[in-house]
Amino acid sequence: RIVRALTAPGRPAVGPGGPDALAYPLAMAYVGLGDRDAAFRWLARARVMRAPMVAVTVDPGFRTLHSDARWTELLIGLGLPGARASGK
């Protein structure tokens, strides 16, 4: 409910940049909720917003996403073409 409330249409900005500024932690929240699709959508937004994502490959919160083909696509989009799907 918290994630949905933060991202609800018409909600006042959460801070500078609105919910997009929270894209990385929102992605983590969706992983915790088991919603991989939403997690990848927020990770994509974080990448577009150029949010700091230097630890994404080693962040244990995202470990459950490593087996998904979208994980490799995300890493390549971040300029990590040698990164493997396992995040190692």
Side-chain angles (χ1 to χ4, degrees):
R1 287 191 286 173
I2 293 171
V3 173
R4 286 187 182 95
L6 285 173
T7 61
R11 186 194 187 299
V14 175
D20 283 337
L22 298 174
Y24 187 88
L26 285 171
M28 180 75 68
Y30 275 112
V31 169
L33 292 170
D35 190 339
R36 295 165 66 109
D37 293 333
F40 278 109
R41 280 194 303 274
W42 281 102
L43 284 170
R45 285 174 82 164
R47 184 174 66 83
V48 169
M49 295 297 295
R50 299 179 184 245
M53 295 177 57
V54 295
V56 72
T57 60
V58 295
D59 193 326
F62 293 117
R63 191 169 295 145
T64 60
L65 301 181
H66 292 189
S67 62
D68 193 300
R70 294 172 290 182
W71 180 255
T72 302
E73 293 171 17
L74 173 72
L75 298 183
I76 291 169
L78 290 170
L80 302 170
R84 297 183 344 200
S86 66
K88 296 179 182 176

